[in-house]
Amino acid sequence: MDEVNIVEYDPHWQILFTEEAERIWQALGNDLVVEIEHIGSTKVPRMAVKPVIVMSFFSGLIFQG
């Protein structure tokens, strides 16, 4: 079984999320991206977690078929 690395909360994670969200907005544009959210345990202050920033984005595209 793989070892899981748990670390103390790092306030820098919010900065990393913001920077990555901006890159996504720039790459996909406002027509495609409606909202980007920082979800998961790295969003919770003072919580020891796996150091993985999880993001969710919502698209304005509607597929019909």
Side-chain angles (χ1 to χ4, degrees):
M1 178 179 249
D2 291 339
E3 188 174 310
V4 176
N5 183 30
I6 303 294
V7 300
E8 293 298 319
Y9 176 78
D10 184 345
H12 188 67
W13 290 332
Q14 181 59 41
I15 296 166
L16 293 174
F17 160 76
T18 301
E19 292 171 350
E20 189 62 25
E22 182 60 31
R23 283 192 283 276
I24 292 169
W25 281 104
Q26 294 297 319
L28 300 178
N30 291 330
D31 292 336
L32 183 59
V33 178
V34 173
E35 184 176 355
I36 301 174
E37 292 185 7
H38 183 183
I39 62 174
S41 55
T42 57
K43 183 178 179 179
V44 181
R46 298 178 300 278
M47 183 178 190
V49 300
K50 293 187 298 182
V52 176
I53 297 172
V54 180
M55 305 171 82
S56 177
F57 79 93
F58 301 91
S59 174
L61 268 181
I62 298 174
F63 292 99
Q64 297 179 3

